Amino acid sequence: MPRVLSSEVSVVDGRKQKVLATLIDDYIATAEPVGSRTLARKYAFGVSPATIRNEMADLEELGYLEHPHTSAGRIPSDKGYRYYVDRLMRPWVLDAEVIEQIRATYRVRVRELQWFIHQTARLVADMTAYPTVVLAPPLREARLWDLRVVAIEPETVVLVLRTDTGIIENRTLALPEGLEAKDVAAMAEDFTVQFRGTPLAQLEGRLIDGLSHQVGSAWRFWEEMLRWLAEAPDEEERVTLGGALNILNYPEFRDVSKVRRVLTFLETEQAVDTLLTLRPEQGIHALIGSETDREDIRDCSVVMASYQLGNKVVGKLMVLGPKRMEYGRVYAILEAVSEELSRVLNWA
Amino acid sequence: MPRVLSSEVSVVDGRKQKVLATLIDDYIATAEPVGSRTLARKYAFGVSPATIRNEMADLEELGYLEHPHTSAGRIPSDKGYRYYVDRLMRPWVLDAEVIEQIRATYRVRVRELQWFIHQTARLVADMTAYPTVVLAPPLREARLWDLRVVAIEPETVVLVLRTDTGIIENRTLALPEGLEAKDVAAMAEDFTVQFRGTPLAQLEGRLIDGLSHQVGSAWRFWEEMLRWLAEAPDEEERVTLGGALNILNYPEFRDVSKVRRVLTFLETEQAVDTLLTLRPEQGIHALIGSETDREDIRDCSVVMASYQLGNKVVGKLMVLGPKRMEYGRVYAILEAVSEELSRVLNWA
DNA sequence: ACTTAGCACTCTGGGCATAGGAGTGCTAAT
DNA sequence: ATTAGCACTCCTATGCCCAGAGTGCTAAGT
């Protein structure tokens, strides 16, 4: 016979909140269902297990807790975690040491986006001890600012591309028969003049109007090169994964098939990509269990953050862990890292 | 009472060889210990299980087979696999289709070493269905050929390095306060003239003699840059891993702790590096189980191959799998790929 | 001298029942 | 409103048994 509870929406009672918070903390720490006795003994509630039991029954009634089976302790439901993340979780303060470690990571002279992305993935994975994914800005949407050609050997050039957002990409290419580096350089200059400001994704289409007077081999070369500008960096390199093996440390992944599901998900670029592009909001967000809407990671949670380039959100980072992940710590780390990354990417 | 056997060194008897070969083939295919009955029934030997049994007992006596326990079938020992790889394995012929797939992978205009390494790791991992590692040439040993500076913004430059072996690396850097791109470009020119032919690893030492007349900020910049030339590309990027998750498909890795051991090994660049560089031979080689001399991959085998740059072996690739891996197939694939990779890296 | 049938023996793994433990939910007393 | 008490449930670990697979040996056959 359920008691009448004051509200479905919120856990009004202060003690209920404390029970829920403590239980979730304990479960996060131990990965074992938590019973009333453990809770009463391990944490100094002024009340007996029986009272806790009643509270827990209520919390279950309200949907914040679940029962694996009759005689096990309780574990948080997705709703429980949600409430915890939104209202109960204590804000986590990072050590000065940790902050310094983040700063130090970016205190370098290198100005390659890809380098920063890599460093970030690794840094966050190491700090959180969860697998981490970083999504690079969509180069397709950036606008052409400058295209340079550097001759290295008679038939080899380095193309250096710079976008309006300051992203610099470069690639070494072989010239086709009959095309000289200085021709290409001249073409690149024309090209820059003509197309500065055009989104990279549109360049391929524009080529037809702009360069159709070129001769055969040159035409093919530009075609190939444009394909690189417009496509390659997006599809292949947008997603960087760090610390994938961290997942193996959590007891919920003692089963290889689960490990495979999750790791495959992380390595499958589209999945992550869609997940990240789904929520373009700023700030730190968590998706808990089924909230992720992905079958493969149904029993995982993700916490994601974004970073900016020129005051515009251009990329994301995401930490994936078991649902009982340490949300507080991860939030704090992601907040610090994404802020620092934004700062440093704007070459401030 | 063991029978007297004609030789310890080699399995003289033709039938013993056939039994051993067939047993290993079957075990490779099924991962289950093979019994005499299965062997006799599944493959048309003209003899009864009892005879097979005797042969198997002899083979065990000789050390080619093992017994997990009394009433299980036999599995090959490391020595058995070794014999199989050296003498019994049928040479595998690749489909024209597969060959074409390999060729197509490299039929591109890109001339970045790192790009080829990545492609190779992925290609081989996909084709063999085992995790694959590719080891890049040790840049430290290459000699400086050309160093270019391309100014991108007032305070940003792209450094393009070319070695005597034709490797091209580039990196985008921020200039320190008070240093202009054209100064750096001029310095780079000097630098090239002065140090062309010097191994990159020695550049750092030489700096002191060669550039000590430079002023403060310039000095620091070059110092930093030289550190990049001499170290960074080696430490960070020498090892590229592809298809790590393939390992999860093999029943011997149903246990997460084994998975972790192996994957951690593969991700530890140093470990892979020493394993591979210790054996500088050309051609395809297998290390079976304990032959790898590494505790973490004691029950794995690796097959490795090398690739060349200017007729000199500069890098390696390696496939890792359970000891019952498909050696024949892997040999064939590695042979084709390493040959093609060498060909294409010499920009022939 | 090799091959093979027969047979006793060994070891593993699945199935099953049992016992212990943890935790609950209810009731009744405080 | 809280709590002690207690019966009840369900999971898990353990021990046991048995079937199945495979062996090794012996003795008989070719």
Side-chain angles (χ1 to χ4, degrees):
Chain A
M1 205 68 36
R3 316 169 180 200
V4 176
L5 290 154
S6 33
S7 160
E8 260 291 338
V9 179
S10 151
V11 183
V12 277
D13 190 337
R15 193 173 62 194
K16 270 196 188 49
Q17 290 197 350
K18 195 176 170 207
V19 168
L20 182 56
T22 315
L23 187 147
I24 296 185
D25 282 337
D26 193 75
Y27 184 66
I28 286 178
T30 64
E32 298 290 337
V34 188
S36 55
R37 183 199 312 240
T38 330
L39 213 51
R41 208 178 6 179
K42 229 160 121 181
Y43 306 90
F45 284 91
V47 295
S48 79
T51 310
I52 306 280
R53 216 147 47 227
N54 288 328
E55 299 286 28
M56 280 164 61
D58 289 350
L59 286 165
E60 183 169 356
E61 187 78 27
L62 289 165
Y64 295 102
L65 294 180
E66 299 183 339
H67 238 178
H69 52 87
T70 349
S71 76
R74 257 84 172 196
I75 62 174
S77 66
D78 288 5
K79 185 176 171 188
Y81 282 119
R82 170 52 57 203
Y83 189 82
Y84 175 84
V85 167
D86 290 342
R87 322 264 226 104
L88 300 178
M89 184 168 79
R90 282 157 305 172
W92 191 283
V93 180
L94 295 179
D95 289 356
E97 211 177 299
V98 173
I99 303 265
E100 171 51 24
Q101 192 188 338
I102 294 172
R103 295 244 168 85
T105 303
Y106 297 115
R107 202 179 291 134
V108 286
R109 210 161 280 292
V110 178
R111 285 215 177 166
E112 268 153 49
L113 186 68
Q114 200 50 43
W115 188 91
F116 283 96
I117 304 268
H118 263 98
Q119 293 298 309
T120 305
R122 190 192 291 197
L123 176 71
V124 175
D126 286 352
M127 288 190 137
T128 60
Y130 298 112
T132 301
V133 156
V134 183
L135 186 69
L139 199 55
R140 308 175 52 79
E141 291 174 20
R143 291 156 189 280
L144 175 75
W145 191 252
D146 203 357
L147 182 63
R148 301 287 191 84
V149 174
V150 185
I152 299 296
E153 296 177 57
E155 75 296 352
T156 307
V157 294
V158 174
L159 253 48
V160 181
L161 166 76
R162 187 176 168 287
T163 68
D164 62 337
T165 46
I167 301 176
I168 295 164
E169 293 273 338
N170 49 42
R171 170 137 274 179
T172 309
L173 295 175
L175 293 179
E177 202 71 33
L179 203 57
E180 305 238 338
K182 66 177 195 307
D183 304 335
V184 179
M187 281 152 78
E189 234 168 281
D190 283 358
F191 195 80
T192 300
V193 173
Q194 195 168 354
F195 293 121
R196 177 167 287 179
T198 310
L200 296 182
Q202 292 178 24
L203 280 179
E204 210 169 359
R206 298 288 187 85
L207 170 80
I208 294 152
D209 321 330
L211 289 165
S212 51
H213 60 280
Q214 300 288 350
V215 289
S217 64
W219 166 280
R220 273 204 312 282
F221 179 75
W222 282 110
E223 198 180 13
E224 208 164 318
M225 210 212 52
L226 283 172
R227 213 174 311 125
W228 165 61
L229 290 181
E231 286 174 20
D234 273 4
E235 284 192 19
E236 304 236 328
E237 310 250 301
R238 264 201 86 188
V239 166
T240 301
L241 174 59
L245 298 186
N246 285 339
I247 202 72
L248 300 177
N249 296 323
Y250 300 97
E252 29 272 278
F253 297 92
R254 214 170 293 139
D255 181 11
V256 175
S257 64
K258 278 189 189 163
V259 171
R260 178 176 17 224
R261 272 225 311 276
V262 172
L263 290 186
T264 306
F265 172 81
L266 287 173
E267 292 215 336
T268 310
E269 318 199 340
Q270 318 93 298
V272 179
D273 193 290
T274 43
L275 175 59
L276 289 183
T277 41
L278 262 179
R279 343 228 153 196
E281 321 97 39
Q282 255 180 289
I284 322 276
H285 291 273
L287 294 180
I288 294 152
S290 54
E291 293 176 5
T292 58
D293 263 342
R294 312 267 152 175
E295 196 49 32
D296 314 352
I297 54 166
R298 181 168 17 100
D299 26 54
C300 297
S301 284
V302 303
V303 181
M304 28 200 233
S306 58
Y307 61 88
Q308 293 153 34
L309 209 62
N311 295 321
K312 199 183 144 209
V313 169
V314 292
K316 304 240 166 179
L317 42 167
M318 161 181 124
V319 173
L320 180 144
K323 287 202 289 196
R324 55 170 200 97
M325 80 194 289
E326 295 178 77
Y327 295 98
R329 210 162 57 80
V330 172
Y331 265 63
I333 291 171
L334 279 187
E335 186 156 17
V337 169
S338 63
E339 195 179 309
E340 185 67 12
L341 180 62
S342 297
R343 207 179 60 70
V344 93
L345 279 188
N346 290 295
W347 322 119
Chain B
M1 202 69 34
R3 316 170 178 201
V4 177
L5 289 156
S6 32
S7 160
E8 258 292 337
V9 180
S10 151
V11 184
V12 278
D13 190 337
R15 193 173 61 192
K16 270 196 188 49
Q17 291 197 350
K18 194 176 169 206
V19 168
L20 183 56
T22 316
L23 187 146
I24 296 185
D25 282 337
D26 193 75
Y27 184 66
I28 285 177
T30 64
E32 297 290 336
V34 188
S36 54
R37 184 201 311 243
T38 328
L39 213 51
R41 206 178 6 176
K42 229 161 121 182
Y43 307 91
F45 284 91
V47 295
S48 79
T51 309
I52 306 277
R53 213 142 54 224
N54 288 328
E55 298 286 29
M56 280 164 61
D58 290 348
L59 286 165
E60 182 170 357
E61 186 80 25
L62 290 165
Y64 295 102
L65 294 181
E66 297 180 343
H67 237 178
H69 55 85
T70 351
S71 76
R74 257 85 170 196
I75 62 173
S77 66
D78 287 6
K79 184 177 172 187
Y81 282 119
R82 170 52 58 203
Y83 190 83
Y84 175 84
V85 167
D86 290 341
R87 323 262 226 101
L88 300 178
M89 185 169 78
R90 282 157 303 174
W92 192 282
V93 181
L94 295 180
D95 289 355
E97 209 175 301
V98 174
I99 303 264
E100 172 51 24
Q101 193 189 339
I102 295 172
R103 296 242 166 86
T105 304
Y106 298 114
R107 204 178 290 137
V108 286
R109 211 160 277 290
V110 178
R111 286 216 176 166
E112 270 153 50
L113 185 68
Q114 202 50 44
W115 188 92
F116 282 96
I117 304 263
H118 264 98
Q119 292 298 309
T120 304
R122 188 192 291 198
L123 175 71
V124 176
D126 286 352
M127 286 189 138
T128 60
Y130 298 112
T132 301
V133 154
V134 183
L135 191 65
L139 198 56
R140 308 175 52 79
E141 293 174 20
R143 291 156 189 279
L144 175 75
W145 192 252
D146 204 357
L147 182 64
R148 301 286 191 82
V149 175
V150 185
I152 297 298
E153 294 178 59
E155 76 296 353
T156 308
V157 293
V158 174
L159 255 49
V160 182
L161 166 76
R162 187 176 168 286
T163 68
D164 61 338
T165 46
I167 300 175
I168 295 164
E169 293 273 340
N170 49 42
R171 171 136 273 180
T172 310
L173 295 176
L175 292 179
E177 200 72 31
L179 203 59
E180 303 237 338
K182 68 177 192 310
D183 305 334
V184 179
M187 283 152 77
E189 232 168 281
D190 284 358
F191 195 81
T192 300
V193 172
Q194 195 169 352
F195 294 122
R196 176 167 288 182
T198 311
L200 296 182
Q202 292 178 24
L203 280 179
E204 209 167 358
R206 299 286 188 85
L207 170 79
I208 294 150
D209 320 331
L211 290 166
S212 51
H213 60 281
Q214 300 289 350
V215 288
S217 65
W219 167 280
R220 274 205 312 284
F221 179 76
W222 281 110
E223 199 179 11
E224 206 166 320
M225 209 211 53
L226 284 171
R227 212 175 313 125
W228 165 60
L229 290 181
E231 286 175 18
D234 272 7
E235 281 191 22
E236 303 235 329
E237 308 252 299
R238 264 201 86 190
V239 168
T240 301
L241 174 59
L245 297 187
N246 285 340
I247 201 73
L248 300 177
N249 296 324
Y250 301 98
E252 30 272 279
F253 296 92
R254 214 170 295 141
D255 180 11
V256 175
S257 64
K258 279 189 188 164
V259 171
R260 176 172 25 221
R261 271 225 311 277
V262 171
L263 291 186
T264 306
F265 169 81
L266 288 174
E267 293 215 334
T268 309
E269 315 218 332
Q270 220 196 342
V272 175
D273 188 290
T274 48
L275 176 65
L276 288 178
T277 24
L278 272 180
R279 315 178 201 246
E281 322 95 37
Q282 255 180 287
I284 322 276
H285 292 272
L287 295 179
I288 294 153
S290 53
E291 294 176 1
T292 58
D293 264 340
R294 300 241 143 212
E295 198 48 30
D296 11 3
I297 53 168
R298 177 168 22 97
D299 23 55
C300 297
S301 285
V302 304
V303 180
M304 43 198 219
S306 58
Y307 61 88
Q308 294 153 32
L309 210 61
N311 293 324
K312 198 184 144 209
V313 169
V314 291
K316 304 244 169 176
L317 44 165
M318 158 181 126
V319 172
L320 181 144
K323 288 203 287 198
R324 55 169 199 97
M325 79 195 289
E326 295 179 77
Y327 296 97
R329 209 163 56 80
V330 172
Y331 265 62
I333 291 171
L334 278 188
E335 186 156 15
V337 169
S338 63
E339 195 179 310
E340 185 68 11
L341 179 61
S342 297
R343 208 178 61 70
V344 93
L345 279 188
N346 290 296
W347 321 121

